[in-house]
Structures are given as C-alpha cells and as structure tokens.
Amino acid sequence: MQASSGESLPDLPPSAMNQSIVEADLLKTIMEVSSTAIVLLNPQGQILYANPASENVLGIKLTDILSRTYDAPQWKNTSLDGGPWRDEDQPFNIVLKTKKPVADIRHAIEDAHGTKKYLSINGSPVFDEKGELRSLVFLITDITDNVLKQKELEDSEAKYRTITELSLSMVYDLDIRSGQNYWAGAIQEITGYTTEEYLAIGYEAWSLLIHPEDKERTLRLFDEAMEKKTKFSCEYRYRTKNGNYVFIEDNGIFLYDKEGVAYRMFGAMINRTEQIEANLALKESESRLLMSLDAVKMGIWSWDIDKREIYWSPQTFAIYGFPSDDSEISIDRYIKLHPEEDIRKISLEIQSLKDDPSRSGFTIQHRIFHTDGKVHWVESRGNLLRDGEGKPFRLMGTILDVTEAKLAEEALRTSDERFRAFYQFSTEAFLIFDENSLRANDSNFAFQTLFGYSPEDTKNLRIRSLLTIDSLQKIREKIASNSSESIEVVCKRKSGEVFPALVSIKRFKYNQSDSIAYSIFDLSPIKEVEELRQINNEIREKNKLIEKQKIELEMAFENLKRTQEQLVQSEKLAALGQLIAGIAHEINNPIGAVKASNQNMLDWQKRYGIASQLFREAILSVPREEQVILKTILSNLDQPIEFYTGKEERLRKKKNKEILMQKGFKADDADEFAEAWVELGIGELEEKYIPLFHSHYLRVFLDYLALEIQFRRNTRSIQLAVDRVSKIMYALKNFSHFDSTGKKIKASVRETIETVLTIYQNQLKRGITLIKNYEDIPPILCYPDDLLHVWTNLIYNSLQAMSFNGNLVITIKDCGEEVMVSLQDSGPGISPDIQEKIFTPFFTTKPPGEGSGLGLDIVNKIVKRHGGRIELASKPGETIFSIYLPKGN
C-alpha cells in the first residue's frame, strides 16, 4: 500500500508480504469508503494522507487538506464556545507527547466557505517494528448538527427559566404518571409558600387546597379536557398558606404519548382576586355611579353585545342634541352619528379591549355629528364586562362633551406652532436664558447662523461670552431697570469677530422657569449701507476731479494734436494721446457702474422694509415644507451668485417655464416665475423647489429673495468698480515697472476669473456664448490683484475682437507644477506679421481713443513677475492666449 506522501511498507518475508498486501488493500478500501474522515500525519505534523470523506467532514478540498500541517492558521481552530484552542489541547500534541490514544476531543474550525464546523476527534499513534513512533492517525466526525441542537436546547431552556422566574403567574409542569410537579414563577406571591416549600407539593396535595365547592367542577373540567385533547381554562378558589382563599384562573394543556395517553400537564395559575372583587364592587356601586354622572350632566350608555342593543341615558341624548324621549338607538343609527374615521377608531379600540383579557376599560376622544349642524368633540369611557368563562357580554360607560376644551387645546397648539415657526424661521436672532443659572436654554436658527454656534453649543453659553465688556455692562443695567427699549451693543461671534447689533430684552416664563429672552438684530448690513453711502460720496467727489482732469487732458491733447507735426517725436505724442483717451474711457465705465448701483441701492432701501415685513408675516402661514425650502434658499444666498451669459439665461428660462407648465401652471404665470427664478441666480428649477411655487405667497417670497440678491449684487458691483478704478490708476502709474516688494498669497485662479466675468456681465449678454472648462485646482501662490488685470485685458480684447458676438472659451487645466489658463475667441485672428509686436508698449491695432497699447505689455510683465509665460496661437476664426503660472506650493 502506497501512502500519499510516497512512503512504502517495510521489507517482509514473501508469505508475510502477501498477507500484509491483502490487509493493506482491505484497510485502504475501508478508508476509501468510510464516511468518517481519516487523516494520517507524520511526527512533524505534516498530513500524509486523507480519505475522500475528509472533504465532506472538514468542508475543504482534499488537495488543500494535504497541503496543510496540523497547526496551519487556515484551520482557524477554536474551542466549542468560541474561545482560543490552546496547543496543549491539540489531539496531535497529546498523542505525540503521551504516545497514547485519545478519544472524543471536540473543537471547531471554519470550512472553505467560512462556515463554522464542530468536530469530534479520536486519534492513535502508529509504531514501526522497533517501537518508534512512525505516524499518527486520526478519525474525525462532524458533530455540527448535534452541537447546534444542544445549543438551541440550552438557549430554549434558559429562556423558559427566565420567563417563568419573571412571570406574575405560577407555572407548573406535572408528570401525570408519577404525580410529581415542577413549580416556577410567582409561587410565594400567590400561595404564600416559599419556592422550596411548594416544590414538595405533588398533585394530590395541590388538589386538596382547591375550595371544596369548586373542587369537583375543576377536576371534572381537567378530565374532560384530557379526554377531548383540548386546552383547558377554569376559575376556582385556592387556599393559601395563611388559610385565606384567592380566585385563581388556571390555563393549560396536556401532552400525549404515541398511544394517545396523557403523560404530562403544563399550566399557569393567575391570581384574579383583585379583578373579580373589583367586578363585584362595580356592580354594587353601579346605581350610585349613574346618579353621580347624572348630577354632572355626563351621559351614560350600555351595549349588550349579544343582543346588539344600545341604551342611552337622557343626558347622552342631550349631548348629541336629541330630546330625552327620543326613540332607542340602533347600531346603524349610532354609526351614522359619527365620521367614518372616528367609527373606525372606536371599533378598533373596542375590538382590542375584547381581545385582551387583561384590559377592562378604555378612554377615547372622538367627533360626533350634533343636531345643530356642527361637529362636536366628546370623551367616551367604557368598561367591558365578561362572564364566568371570560366571554365579553356587556360594554358600558360614560360620555362627556369636551368641545370647548378641545377647541381651546387646538387654539393653544396653533398658537404654539405659530410661535415655534416664527421663532425658528425669523431672520432675527433669539436667545433664551434661565434667569437664575444665567445659562442659555434655547436658541433659534438665525442666532446659530449669526453667532456661529451649533444647537449643541447653546446649553453651555453664558451671556458674557456673547458681548464685549462695555456691552455686557449695558445689558446688566438694562435688565436692572426693567426697561423695554432696545439698546445698541457690540456682540462677539464664536470666532471672536465683533459686530454691531440692536438688542431687545424681555422677561417671561419658559418651561415653567423664570427666563430672559434676547432679540438680536444684526446692524452690520445697515452700517455697511451707511459706509457705502460715504464711499459713494467720496467716489462722486473723485469723479468730479477725474472729469475735470479728463477735460484738462483732452484740452492738452487737442493742443498736442495741433502742434504734433511741429514736434520731432510726433509718433510718441500720438501714442500718448491714445493712452490718455483710453484711460479716460476705462475710468468712465466703473464710475458709471457705481452711479447705477448707488441708484439701485436707493430704490432697494425704499422697497426692502415693506417686503421684509410681508415676508415675515407670510412665512408663519405656510406649511413646514415651504418653510424648510425658504430656509435652505436664504442660507445659500451668501454663496457666490452663478453668472449666466445671455444665451444661457434664455435657455434656463425656457427650461424652467417648461417644467412649471408640466406642473399645471398657466403659460403667463410659468413665464413670470421662470424669469424670476433665473434672476435669483439659483439655476435650474429642481423638483425639491416645486412645493414653493404652489404657495399662495409665492410672489411675496420671490420679491423678498430678489431684493436680497439685488442688495448683494449692488454692493459687490460698487466694490468691484472702486477696485477697478484703483487698478487702472495702478496700471497707469506702473505700466513700465511693477512693484516686486509685495508677497504672494494663496488665491483661487478660478475666483479671479469669475470676478472679471462679473464685471463684463452686460457685455457678455449681448451675443457671447461663454464656455467654461474648469478643472478643480487648489489655490496657488500668486498676486491675485495683478491676475485680475491680466484677465481683464485678455477677456475685453477678445470681446472687442469678436465685436461682442461669438464664442469665448475659458479653460483652466492642471499641468503638474503649473496651472494653464487659456482664452479662446472666435474673432478674426491676429496677423502673423504683428504677433511679435503685440506685447510692445504703446502698440495697438485699435483706432485712436479705443486703446492705449499698454494692456498686453502690462499682462506680459505680470505673468513674468509670477515666473510664468504666455503663448499665442492665432488664425482666422480662432485666437488662443495660453498663460502658464507656477503653483508655487
């Protein structure tokens, strides 16, 4: 017989050899057909042989088994309870150490699919002729099913023990043949005996404790249930240790053997004394109860379940609005006196009461149709009566008109909802402090947004952390004086930033405690408007000075033109004239933007007060879904406003109009709303915003949001215009030399481009199709103000070259150590013979007065200052300027 490792049997005499061969073949056959896994290992722990059954028992392919050692980590050995399997527990180690067989050593492994298998191992050493250990053989049996069943049985027994120990009933398990009982549960609570005392009581002793008047009936019921093989349920009186009797409800079942003979009885005894005594007391006091209810004008009713008869007292008829001598109430008539929804609620409550023996009554509020034509609210209370067998036979109770209380409750709830809605969605910040602990109890969304705190931070806030020292003193004086006037203070955000605010203080009760409410209105926007007015005034003065200087320059230029032919350097003088005219033209544009924005701000100030008041009133009247949408839009208004070209704007308006018409809006309304939505800069009309468009206050909301957007756009335009004038003066002063003493800062290339596009918004709308191909690139080290000048010159040159009608493609691309920005226009192109001259100072192809010839020279110097370069590719219909800037990270 050849082993799997290739070992051969030792040399034997011929006759012995033949006998050994026969025995080996027989052994091999047995091993091959055996359903038990048989594994042979050498003393080094290597597996030499495994029979075919090993694959099924171990759940692993035979080739994988033969490739492993006894302690290979792939086995993932554990003990039966999942704990580690120690080396000294390994059957291989035991046999190797003791040189003796082992039997039924159990453990667990994981098969090839990761499933846990439980195994039993028997092993024995195999010695050669010299008595030396030659190999070790193990028989392995899969005991997974047995182990799992044992665990399931143990879990079931544990659950049973736990349930019986916690049960309020007394559970018993009677062996009918031996008469022995096993008791558990509330033994002492029901019988007065301790568990140890009662465990000695058998069936005969137990039956003697049944009340003599109930014993015969009870035992007969047990016998009938046993014969009919049904469950049993009965009530009887049972004597406790102190000699008193309690009322017992006994429910149980019998188990039968194969011959149909009962051999076991399971049951539970429940103490029903209190319930039964209460029922007797209820019957005795029924007449007194009816008189009491009549005195307080509370109606009573009764329903005979079997006869389907309903009784109403005169007060019950009066509650429904009927005369007291009205005819009897039938089931059908009763149903018609209630809304369908309320009838379903009443029916479910009654059915639940009937199905649950542990319940005896219910209380429910529901609506009725009163004869005055109105819907009234009533409170019905009912008790279910059951017969001796536990079957419901009568439902009786009271009814009281609670309409006034219900309406008051609804009014209070509505008032509270309106307060919570105003509190949470108000644009004013609210903060509530406990007057005793001086700690914050609550804050609204506006406060959290304004101060930078999360809702979780509120409980740890103190008033001194929100104010400067001087303002804190003002607040304390205000509280001490009980004054109701608002005061102006300086508040501190979580970040430490301070801002002006108007604060109103009010004492009130909040959650049953003395509290102080702070209403905080941010004055920063108003202050900014005042500052903008001052800036506008300064700009007007500067504008007058610039106009004066412009006139003087124009007069000087005219004089220069008249004497131009007499000067030796006539060409330079002509260039100087072009420069002056171009600069004046460049300055006029931002000044015009400031004038327009200032006028817009004056109009905005007139409209904002009324629109804001209407918005606050409207938001309190709409559903929560619309409030959430408005809250989301308002929280996103501080984000940069998306800019569209004229063509993009028309396409978005058209698409939004189609969406609204699909939702059922009329064409005129859909056109109006679609245009208003695009003006807000939010973009495409998504499904989540549709509920807002069905609001009765839609135009109020759109008007308010438009004013919010208008304010941000105008303030931004003014700032950009002022920056533009500064940059023009900067460029004029330094067109031949740039200051290199400044330090680079991290800035987004994309944001600098978007800023310039905003400046040229009106020009782009004329007939330009703007295409943006932006890659997501982190901020780079640069001079952002200078880059603004680069994009301003290149973009405006492209617009002029296309006569403000064509395609402009702006690309931002990550090129490793550099960022590439390209501007491609569809203009006529730049002639090859002048491409080398376009970066020369004062060189321009524009007519006099339209260009200074310094723009591209300045662009070239800025790019070189950054350590970058400019590439130009131009042909008719396509001109591309590519600027490469080092990232400098």
Side-chain angles (χ1 to χ4, degrees):
M1 172 181 175
Q2 195 76 13
S4 297
S5 62
E7 293 184 357
S8 60
L9 296 172
D11 294 334
L12 297 171
S15 59
M17 178 66 75
N18 292 335
Q19 183 179 355
S20 296
I21 292 173
V22 172
E23 292 175 353
D25 290 339
L26 179 60
L27 179 60
K28 180 177 181 182
T29 301
I30 293 173
M31 295 172 69
E32 292 293 329
V33 300
S34 173
S35 61
T36 301
I38 302 175
V39 180
L40 186 68
L41 296 91
N42 63 19
Q44 288 74 42
Q46 297 172 327
I47 298 176
L48 306 176
Y49 170 82
N51 69 336
S54 301
E55 280 195 353
N56 183 51
V57 173
L58 300 178
I60 302 169
K61 290 183 178 180
L62 196 58
T63 53
D64 292 336
I65 296 173
L66 294 173
S67 67
R68 298 183 181 179
T69 60
Y70 81 96
D71 58 351
Q74 295 92 327
W75 293 114
K76 296 184 179 178
N77 293 312
T78 63
S79 62
L80 288 184
D81 60 3
W85 204 34
R86 302 173 301 174
D87 288 343
E88 54 266 31
D89 297 330
Q90 292 269 14
F92 177 87
N93 292 333
I94 296 172
V95 174
L96 188 66
K97 181 178 179 180
T98 65
K99 305 295 190 298
K100 294 180 181 179
V102 294
D104 194 25
I105 295 182
R106 300 186 174 196
H107 78 298
I109 65 169
E110 285 190 13
D111 64 12
H113 302 290
T115 304
K116 182 165 287 189
K117 296 180 75 73
Y118 298 93
L119 307 174
S120 173
I121 301 177
N122 295 279
S124 178
V126 178
F127 301 99
D128 59 16
E129 296 174 346
K130 299 178 180 180
E132 297 292 332
L133 182 65
R134 180 180 180 182
S135 57
L136 298 86
V137 63
F138 294 95
L139 279 68
I140 307 171
T141 305
D142 186 350
I143 58 172
T144 301
D145 289 342
N146 292 339
V147 171
L148 293 180
K149 288 179 181 178
Q150 181 64 26
K151 285 179 175 290
E152 184 178 352
L153 179 61
E154 291 173 357
D155 290 343
S156 177
E157 289 292 338
K159 291 177 183 176
Y160 172 75
R161 287 194 299 271
T162 302
I163 291 172
T164 56
E165 288 170 2
L166 297 177
S167 175
L168 295 178
S169 60
M170 192 165 72
V171 181
Y172 58 86
D173 179 0
L174 169 65
D175 187 323
I176 297 175
R177 293 175 178 137
S178 67
Q180 290 184 339
N181 248 348
Y182 171 77
W183 301 94
I187 297 172
Q188 189 164 7
E189 290 83 348
I190 294 177
T191 69
Y193 292 99
T194 65
T195 302
E196 292 75 16
E197 291 172 336
Y198 211 75
L199 287 176
I201 295 179
Y203 177 75
E204 293 297 330
W206 165 79
S207 63
L208 291 175
L209 296 175
I210 300 176
H211 194 284
E213 296 178 3
D214 300 336
K215 184 175 181 180
E216 182 180 354
R217 174 180 56 83
T218 301
L219 296 180
R220 184 176 64 253
L221 191 149
F222 288 161
D223 292 339
E224 290 175 354
M226 185 188 306
E227 292 175 4
K228 296 178 181 179
K229 297 184 179 180
T230 61
K231 297 178 181 178
F232 61 82
S233 179
C234 62
E235 288 185 356
Y236 53 84
R237 287 164 289 178
Y238 193 76
R239 191 171 75 243
T240 63
K241 185 177 181 180
N242 61 13
N244 295 328
Y245 282 92
V246 292
F247 287 93
I248 294 295
E249 179 185 332
D250 197 339
N251 299 285
I253 192 171
F254 293 94
L255 296 184
Y256 304 86
D257 58 19
K258 294 180 179 179
E259 286 73 27
V261 178
Y263 69 91
R264 207 166 176 184
M265 176 182 178
F266 291 100
M269 298 167 58
I270 304 172
N271 189 347
R272 294 296 189 195
T273 304
E274 292 184 3
Q275 181 179 342
I276 292 174
E277 290 178 349
N279 287 338
L280 295 174
L282 178 63
K283 292 178 181 178
E284 292 175 0
S285 63
E286 183 176 332
S287 59
R288 295 195 298 271
L289 175 62
L290 295 177
M291 294 177 61
S292 300
L293 295 176
D294 188 57
V296 296
K297 296 183 179 180
M298 180 182 289
I300 62 172
W301 52 268
S302 175
W303 174 35
D304 189 312
I305 298 175
D306 293 330
K307 296 180 180 180
R308 294 175 59 84
E309 294 178 352
I310 298 177
Y311 164 77
W312 276 7
S313 70
Q315 286 75 19
T316 304
F317 280 102
I319 288 173
Y320 279 81
F322 297 115
S324 59
D325 58 351
D326 201 335
S327 60
E328 293 185 358
I329 297 295
S330 65
I331 296 292
D332 293 337
R333 187 181 181 190
Y334 177 81
I335 291 174
K336 293 178 181 179
L337 292 174
H338 302 79
E340 291 184 8
E341 180 182 349
D342 294 63
I343 282 293
R344 284 195 296 271
K345 183 168 65 172
I346 295 170
S347 299
L348 288 173
E349 185 67 21
I350 293 175
Q351 188 61 46
S352 174
L353 183 64
K354 292 166 67 177
D355 293 342
D356 187 354
S358 65
R359 293 182 57 195
S360 60
F362 70 87
T363 300
I364 186 173
Q365 289 188 349
H366 59 87
R367 296 167 293 175
I368 65 172
F369 295 131
H370 197 274
T371 56
D372 62 6
K374 298 179 181 179
V375 174
H376 287 211
W377 278 91
V378 297
E379 181 175 277
S380 295
R381 295 174 180 265
N383 281 85
L384 183 67
L385 303 182
R386 300 177 183 269
D387 59 20
E389 297 178 355
K391 179 183 176 182
F393 69 90
R394 180 178 295 277
L395 188 65
M396 58 188 302
T398 63
I399 185 170
L400 180 67
D401 191 324
V402 294
T403 303
E404 293 184 4
K406 196 71 177 179
L407 293 177
E409 177 186 336
E410 183 66 20
L412 180 62
R413 185 186 64 80
T414 303
S415 175
D416 183 64
E417 288 180 353
R418 292 185 63 188
F419 166 74
R420 298 302 302 180
F422 172 77
Y423 177 68
Q424 287 297 337
F425 293 98
S426 174
T427 55
E428 290 185 30
F430 285 98
L431 184 64
I432 299 175
F433 270 85
D434 184 276
E435 187 171 3
N436 297 321
S437 66
L438 295 181
R439 288 186 179 275
N441 282 336
D442 200 2
S443 65
N444 67 346
F445 178 76
F447 171 84
Q448 296 152 17
T449 302
L450 180 61
F451 283 83
Y453 289 101
S454 66
E456 293 74 19
D457 295 332
T458 300
K459 60 184 178 181
N460 297 319
L461 287 178
R462 290 185 178 273
I463 191 64
R464 63 171 176 265
S465 63
L466 304 175
L467 299 164
T468 61
I469 296 176
D470 294 340
S471 297
L472 180 61
Q473 184 60 34
K474 285 185 179 180
I475 291 292
R476 288 173 175 168
E477 294 172 357
K478 183 74 173 176
I479 295 174
S481 65
N482 287 320
S483 174
S484 60
E485 296 181 357
S486 301
I487 58 172
E488 187 172 336
V489 297
V490 178
C491 296
K492 290 191 297 184
R493 292 187 172 92
K494 184 178 182 180
S495 62
E497 179 187 356
V498 297
F499 64 94
L502 193 66
V503 175
S504 298
I505 305 171
K506 180 72 175 179
R507 277 191 172 92
F508 74 113
K509 285 282 187 182
Y510 181 77
N511 292 339
Q512 306 303 317
S513 64
D514 295 328
S515 302
I516 301 175
Y518 295 88
S519 171
I520 307 167
F521 184 77
D522 185 7
L523 295 177
S524 300
I526 298 176
K527 298 288 187 182
E528 290 174 1
V529 171
E530 293 297 329
E531 292 175 1
L532 286 173
R533 285 177 180 170
Q534 294 179 6
I535 293 173
N536 286 341
N537 292 335
E538 294 175 2
I539 291 175
R540 290 193 189 98
E541 294 300 322
K542 292 180 180 179
N543 189 33
K544 292 179 183 178
L545 177 61
I546 292 172
E547 287 288 343
K548 180 179 179 181
Q549 291 174 346
K550 175 185 173 185
I551 293 172
E552 293 175 354
L553 288 172
E554 287 177 345
M555 292 177 61
F557 177 63
E558 290 298 325
N559 292 331
L560 288 173
K561 284 179 64 177
R562 286 193 294 270
T563 58
Q564 175 177 344
E565 296 178 355
Q566 301 174 12
L567 299 175
V568 176
Q569 299 178 340
S570 59
E571 186 174 352
K572 292 182 180 180
L573 291 175
L576 180 60
Q578 293 173 355
L579 169 65
I580 294 170
I583 293 302
H585 178 75
E586 290 291 323
I587 290 176
N588 279 335
N589 285 338
I591 290 175
V594 170
K595 290 179 178 178
S597 296
N598 183 63
Q599 184 60 44
N600 290 338
M601 291 297 288
L602 294 175
D603 296 339
W604 172 87
Q605 191 174 19
K606 295 176 182 178
R607 296 173 55 199
Y608 184 75
I610 297 175
S612 175
Q613 179 64 30
L614 291 175
F615 175 80
R616 294 184 185 181
E617 294 175 357
I619 196 172
L620 299 177
S621 304
V622 298
R624 177 172 176 77
E625 182 181 19
E626 295 177 23
Q627 294 175 352
V628 171
I629 294 173
L630 289 167
K631 175 181 173 182
T632 303
I633 295 174
L634 286 170
S635 64
N636 291 331
L637 285 183
D638 289 332
Q639 302 296 324
I641 301 170
E642 188 174 356
F643 166 73
Y644 312 121
T645 62
K647 185 175 181 180
E648 287 177 333
E649 184 176 283
R650 291 191 297 273
L651 289 174
R652 288 186 181 272
K653 288 180 181 178
K654 182 179 178 182
K655 187 169 184 180
N656 288 348
K657 181 179 178 181
E658 292 172 353
I659 293 172
L660 290 173
M661 291 185 69
Q662 290 173 2
K663 297 296 182 180
F665 288 86
K666 295 180 181 179
D668 292 343
D669 291 339
D671 187 62
E672 175 190 347
F673 298 154
E675 181 173 0
W677 192 256
V678 172
E679 288 296 326
L680 293 179
I682 298 176
E684 186 174 326
L685 183 56
E686 300 179 22
E687 183 66 27
K688 64 182 181 180
Y689 295 120
I690 292 300
L692 184 64
F693 284 80
H694 292 287
S695 175
H696 177 71
Y697 299 99
L698 176 60
R699 287 182 172 85
V700 172
F701 294 147
L702 290 177
D703 186 41
Y704 177 79
L705 294 173
L707 287 172
E708 288 286 346
I709 292 293
Q710 181 183 350
F711 175 78
R712 287 162 173 78
R713 284 179 174 170
N714 282 296
T715 54
R716 184 179 177 86
S717 296
I718 291 173
Q719 186 60 48
L720 291 173
V722 173
D723 292 344
R724 179 66 179 145
V725 171
S726 300
K727 288 176 176 55
I728 292 171
M729 300 305 294
Y730 167 86
L732 179 62
K733 178 181 178 181
N734 302 286
F735 73 91
S736 62
H737 174 72
F738 282 87
D739 182 16
S740 60
T741 60
K743 292 183 178 180
K744 291 181 179 180
I745 62 173
K746 288 234 177 188
S748 169
V749 173
R750 174 176 180 166
E751 289 183 5
T752 59
I753 294 174
E754 287 296 322
T755 299
V756 176
L757 290 175
T758 302
I759 296 173
Y760 289 128
Q761 172 178 321
N762 293 327
Q763 289 89 337
L764 290 168
K765 285 184 177 180
R766 296 180 188 176
I768 297 297
T769 298
L770 178 63
I771 301 172
K772 304 174 185 178
N773 298 322
Y774 295 166
E775 290 186 4
D776 190 11
I777 298 174
I780 67 170
L781 281 173
C782 63
Y783 303 100
D785 290 340
D786 288 350
L787 288 182
L788 284 172
H789 199 90
V790 171
W791 315 136
T792 299
N793 274 277
L794 294 178
I795 291 173
Y796 194 76
N797 285 349
S798 294
L799 298 180
Q800 282 188 317
M802 294 184 289
S803 299
F804 299 93
N805 191 358
N807 298 327
L808 177 60
V809 181
I810 302 178
T811 301
I812 303 175
K813 186 176 182 182
D814 192 340
C815 298
E817 298 296 323
E818 297 177 311
V819 175
M820 188 273 284
V821 178
S822 69
L823 294 96
Q824 174 183 331
D825 65 60
S826 58
I830 301 174
S831 175
D833 57 344
I834 65 171
Q835 289 185 12
E836 295 182 357
K837 302 178 182 179
I838 61 174
F839 296 107
T840 303
F842 300 105
F843 177 84
T844 180
T845 59
K846 299 175 184 177
E850 292 189 14
S852 62
L854 294 174
L856 291 178
D857 173 55
I858 294 172
V859 167
N860 191 32
K861 286 182 170 65
I862 292 173
V863 173
K864 288 183 177 179
R865 183 184 180 195
H866 281 79
R869 66 186 189 281
I870 302 178
E871 294 179 0
L872 169 65
S874 182
K875 61 183 180 181
E878 181 183 281
T879 297
I880 304 175
F881 281 88
S882 300
I883 295 88
Y884 293 85
L885 301 171
K887 292 182 179 179
N889 294 333

